[in-house]
Amino acid sequence: MLKSKPTTVQILSPEEEQAKFFEEAKNNVLVQGHHMKLSLDNGKLMDALKYASNIINELRTSLLSPKTYYGLYLVAFDYLQHLNTYLYEEKHGKKMIELYEVVQHAGNVLPRLYLLITVGSVYIRTKQAPAKDVLKDLIEMCRGVQHPTRGLFLRHYLSEVTKDKLPDIDTPSESGHVNDSIEFIIQNFTETNKLWVRMQHQAPSKDKERRENERLELRLLVGKNLSRLAQLDGVDQKTYSEVVLPKVLEQIINCKDKIAQQYLMEILIQVFPDEFHLATLDSILSTCGQLQTGVDVKTIIASLIDRLANFATRNSESVPQEIKIFDIFYNNVKEIINQRPNMELQDILGLHVSLLNLTLKCYPTNKENANEVLGLCKTILATKRKEDITKATCTKQIVQLLQIPLEAFKNVLTVLKLSNYQPLISCLSYNTRKKVSLDIVNSTIQNSTIIEEPEDVNSLLETISTLVKDEQDQPDMEDIDKEDFAEEQNKVASLIHLFDSEDPEKLFKIYLVARSHFGKGGQHRIKHTLVPLIFRSLKFIRKLKQQVDDDEISLDENQWNAIGSRIFQFVSETIKALADIKLSELSFRLYLQAMQTFDNCSLVSKIKDLAGKALLIFQEDIADFKAQGAALTLFISTLNSLSIPDEEIYETLAVQTIKQASRLLFQDQSKLISLCSHLFWVDHAKRQYKNEESVLKALKKALHIISNDSTPSLSVFVDILNESLYYVDKNTGAVPAQFIGDLVELIRTTHNKEGDPALAYFQNTIKYIQSQNYSGINV
Amino acid sequence: MFIIVLGDVHVPHRSHGIPPEFKKLLVPEKIQHILCTGNLVSKEIHDYFKFLTSDVHIVKGDLDENASYPDTKVVTIGQFKFGLCHGHQVVPWGDKVSLAALQRQLDVDVLITGHTHALDVYESNGKLFVNPGSATGSFSNITNDVIPSFVLMDVQGNNITVYIYKLVDGAVKVEKVGHTKQ
Amino acid sequence: MNFFSNNFGTPCSFDFQLDNCQNRKTIEVTQDKGKTEKLFVFVGNEPVTGKVSVSLKEKTKKIEHTGIKVEFVGQIELFYDRGNHYEFTSLVRELSPPGELTENTTYSYDFSNVEKQYESYNGTNVRLRYFVRLTIGRSFGSNIVKEHDIWVINFNKAPEMNNNIKMEVGIEDCLHIEFEYNKSKYHLKDVIIGKIYFLLVRIKIKYMEIALIKRESTGSGPNVFNESETLTKFEIMDGAPVRGESIPVRLFLSVFDLTPTYRAVHNKFSVKYFLNLALVDEEDKKYFKQQEITLWRRGVAKPSSSITAGSNTKQQPQIEIPTPDPDSTDDSSD
């Protein structure tokens, strides 16, 4: 107000113009309002009514946008409230019937009606007239305002000032029945909505968007009416179904307006309780079918479904049996999709998602419903083009359709039983198929679902075939992120640990099924997937052997050997598949593992074969010296751990081992040869094999090798010393005390160099020897 | 100072994952160090350890492909030197005499090894020897009937309290062993 | 009243007194030159009796006269025809034979059985008066005359036939409405209840109003003067309706200064009332339909308990109503 007046004519922006109009009108209201209050204070009611009428005259403007108009309405509203309070206090000494007439003398319809409503509400409150009569009269008279914005606000005013005066169940019958209130509100709702819809047609079509926005700003004025209905105690389920809903729906359908239908359906679902919707599902859904093109029916139905699904979850007992929620929704959704050929595919799919959620929340164990939803979806997708289906928005929904059963059933076996599940995956693009397959895998792992039947394994691996084998539409291997790929394959590989059965015959069949699937995976995949299969097979036969030993399973030796051979063949062929793709170190180690297992299972005949295969890999495919050392160490320790009763086989292997060790670099050679001493001294529960002479020979040979090295390493000397001490500690008699003493002396005199990193090792060993007080060893 | 000691996970070779019962116990804020005996054998498990704490020490198991893992590693935490080795290199596997030699070689106060999938914590010659077993309780050719286990060490000055976690029939059992440096 | 009235300089003054007027209603009537006068209201053939006192002024010793008489006159005055007063009733009572008036004297008069078939009326071009006139005749000099008006109203019997008014009007392919008023005959405190149905709307209507128009016709034959007066403009609709809407009408007549409908009063004048329904479009074009209603004066008022005045059988309470009518005109549209 302190703004200095510009001297030049300014062109105001629409916002500034609105602000200006608003300020002017508001100031007028304030001035008239002030006079009104003064008159009331002085007991001059008639003057006050005149000023009140002047206030409302400002609301007759057509200059304001709905939003600005609302601001002005609020200012006026406050004054009318003040008047309302005054009238109720009855200081004016007038009968309400007189005032009710007096205000109707106003020449203009808008002030007349605002005042009439104001007086009317007091009239009800003072109980000088039955509420029902006053309400009926007010609602009838309000027809006089046909201007959309002014009418909307007038009717909102009517609704606001009567809201606490509506006859409800506790109202004495002479004042009115709840039915009077229902009729009143519904009429106000209907008229309000008609005005709201009419707003749309008032603007030139170029202003359509602005007009739509303005309308949306006013939508609450219409929706409030439905909230009022919901607030009436007397609107119980029966009244709602028989009286309220049919009338509301009639108006929604008849108004033929996209925005109104959308909003009103949403608000209807929102304001009334779930129980009511449950009882009237058919009407609501069939209404959805009759809405205008362009109404987002999907959102409406989805919100209803989601609400009822949550309701059913919370109150599983209170959902009446006779209401077949799923069937009603399913049939209606099907019908609506048929009726609306232009419905977006993503919306159709969205409805399916909601349906699926609904059935799984309401009927968590019912597979048939879920399968039906997926089936309907499948049928619809069959009629659509691939490029529509693979749109991101549609894909997202299909993925959800596939995820929901996984989350709901928490059991991949149940999901695999849905006959329409797998076909839905097939219509997706490669990456999405892969994603869904991974979801299936993850769900299986997270829920630790044990799969016991070979057919189920088969079905699972077929379902996730995108992960299991190459597919026509997959990208080039070079374009695939190696880490992601490895992670995916590791997940798939993990599944094998969930394939299990108490029945050995079945379990082996499972492994065969898995092998046949994974075998198609190609070199990048089998590297991950076959290894667990090998370990599981090893575990399998070990367990079987245990059961035979414990007499849980009765097999004679021939039978056992036959089974052993089958599994051996399975395992060794599987390892060979890895060896064939030059995973040398891996397959070497797997052969060693297999050796241990078959040794444990008294299938000695297989050991030579496996050892031979391992050594062959060692010789031909492990080139790196370090790797050779590591491999040979493992070979020695493996041999040491075996129970081989056949001395001939064992000794052949021992000789071969030493021969291989001798091919290594001097340092490694020396260390390895000293380790080879363990080939001649085996002392564990399964085997006793003691060849003192060879032990000492090996140690001496090791010492000889390292001593001839050009730069002999202290560390290797101490290693040999410690190996020697092993035999002393074990009281073998293989290593004489003299040998230890001489060796210590040799190291001390020859190789004990300042700053050698192995010095601590040496000193620790000396300290150890000293602490043991071996007889004959004095260092 | 809490140190998690574990290894021989073998995911996905021999197991589909660390048991959820253990995962619940392994919370990021509580753990300062992880000493792992190896055989993870996948990057996912490595990442999982890294998620628990940034100070992760891993040695190479016989089936680990990761070439960056060393055969042995010595880590000093507080007043203790920890020696870490998978243990498949020790002949015979798990032999206490051989492990003692490895302890002398690494010149450590605590020697941690795995491979046998048999949980074992003992003192010998004043040194502490720890084998945390297999965190997934996975299949082993050495030990029958493996159960999932790992070890938590609480280092306080000269003392280590060793908590042994075992998963028996779906329930976590804890034992406690004390060790003082000599 | 004649400017050269002999009141001025009359040797005496008069004081009319009417009997039974303690509780009689009065009415303010605007006479010439905006002078208002309070008149007693007589209903129908109520007797008009009373006294008139003649007081001699101080200087006056005596008044010689040719006789004193009092008359009761009903007369119609047409303003355009000044001077021609049509007395439709006149009754004379001789009060005194010729002689001298020497002292203040009071005379009684009694017009018990005068028929007063017309109501008093004070219009634009015509006036219907009832008055008592005292005349002191003089042989030279003009007579001394003094008039005293009363106001007469007549209660009507409720009409036997009272149909509603219902009519369909429109402009082809443009606007088609049907309107309905609950009666054709309304008493003066009545409420007009009606409804406007929109059967076809192709114009952009801004508002709709009802005007109550009074038309006074004077003269006869080719010399008829019509004087129309819009008593009120009453907005009944704001904004544009669509097809199918019906708009209520409720107009309280008690607010307005109305007379009953007069038809050919003594063949001199008529007063008629019309309801003019007008629709105004956004270009301020007006569409209207005028319809006569008959007004009548109701004798006995029964207070109504109805709040809505909604049904045409119910009657309106008679209440003294100040008329706030704060915003009755919006003349821009005319």
Side-chain angles (χ1 to χ4, degrees), chain C residues 40-194:
Chain C
F40 287 110
V41 176
F42 283 75
V43 179
N45 294 335
E46 268 189 285
V48 180
T49 62
K51 297 182 179 70
V52 57
S53 306
V54 181
S55 311
L56 300 179
K57 288 184 178 167
E58 257 176 56
K59 323 183 253 187
T60 313
K61 294 281 182 306
K62 64 172 182 192
I63 302 170
E64 273 179 36
H65 61 84
T66 59
I68 300 174
K69 61 178 179 184
V70 64
E71 294 163 280
F72 183 81
V73 180
Q75 96 182 0
I76 294 166
E77 301 170 4
L78 291 162
F79 300 162
Y80 65 90
D81 193 13
R82 185 155 287 281
N84 274 330
H85 295 171
Y86 301 94
E87 288 190 6
F88 53 85
T89 189
S90 174
L91 236 85
V92 186
R93 299 274 186 269
E94 296 292 341
L95 297 179
S96 168
E100 279 182 351
L101 199 62
T102 55
E103 57 183 349
N104 294 349
T105 314
T106 298
Y107 305 99
S108 294
Y109 54 87
D110 181 345
F111 302 103
S112 291
N113 291 312
V114 197
E115 197 194 0
K116 299 184 276 294
Q117 59 166 318
Y118 306 123
E119 289 201 337
S120 300
Y121 173 72
N122 202 2
T124 317
N125 290 325
V126 63
R127 179 160 69 171
L128 188 147
R129 296 175 62 208
Y130 287 97
F131 53 90
V132 177
R133 181 162 62 200
L134 183 85
T135 310
I136 302 175
R138 294 207 279 192
S139 47
F140 45 91
S142 55
N143 291 345
I144 301 169
V145 177
K146 180 68 184 174
E147 295 174 354
H148 182 72
D149 284 64
I150 62 163
W151 192 264
V152 172
I153 58 171
N154 281 317
F155 291 134
N156 307 112
K157 272 192 282 181
E160 277 167 19
M161 292 279 289
N162 197 349
N163 298 327
N164 61 352
I165 300 172
K166 198 167 177 179
M167 195 169 268
E168 230 181 278
V169 292
I171 306 162
E172 204 177 338
D173 293 333
C174 180
L175 180 69
H176 210 121
I177 63 173
E178 186 183 285
F179 64 82
E180 185 182 342
Y181 304 125
N182 59 333
K183 307 177 198 172
S184 48
K185 295 165 184 163
Y186 295 92
H187 62 76
L188 300 186
K189 307 290 178 190
D190 216 340
V191 186
I192 298 174
I193 307 291

Side-chain angles (χ1 to χ4, degrees), chain A residues 50 53 57 60 97 100-101 104-109 112 123 137 140-141 143-147 150 198, chain C residues 195 234-240 242 245-248 250 252 254-255 306-308 316 321 324-327:
Chain A
K50 189 169 138 192
S53 166
N57 264 328
R60 295 176 66 210
I97 191 170
Y100 197 74
E101 183 188 324
Q104 294 189 63
H105 298 157
N108 282 111
V109 67
R112 182 159 76 235
Y123 204 172
D137 191 51
E140 177 62 23
M141 294 313 283
R143 288 178 184 279
V145 178
Q146 293 290 327
H147 183 277
R150 294 195 283 272
R198 214 182 289 164
Chain C
K195 238 184 171 94
F234 192 71
E235 187 188 31
I236 54 170
M237 184 184 76
D238 172 22
V242 293
E245 291 290 352
S246 75
I247 307 298
R250 184 185 297 159
F252 289 87
S254 59
V255 189
S306 155
I307 58 147
T308 59
Q316 281 306 295
I321 295 156
D325 201 8
D327 191 39

Side-chain angles (χ1 to χ4, degrees), chain A residues 282-301:
Chain A
D282 259 329
S283 330
I284 293 202
L285 291 174
S286 68
T287 302
C288 286
Q290 298 175 60
L291 301 179
Q292 300 296 108
T293 327
V295 174
D296 181 6
V297 173
K298 177 240 153 195
T299 304
I300 296 167
I301 298 181

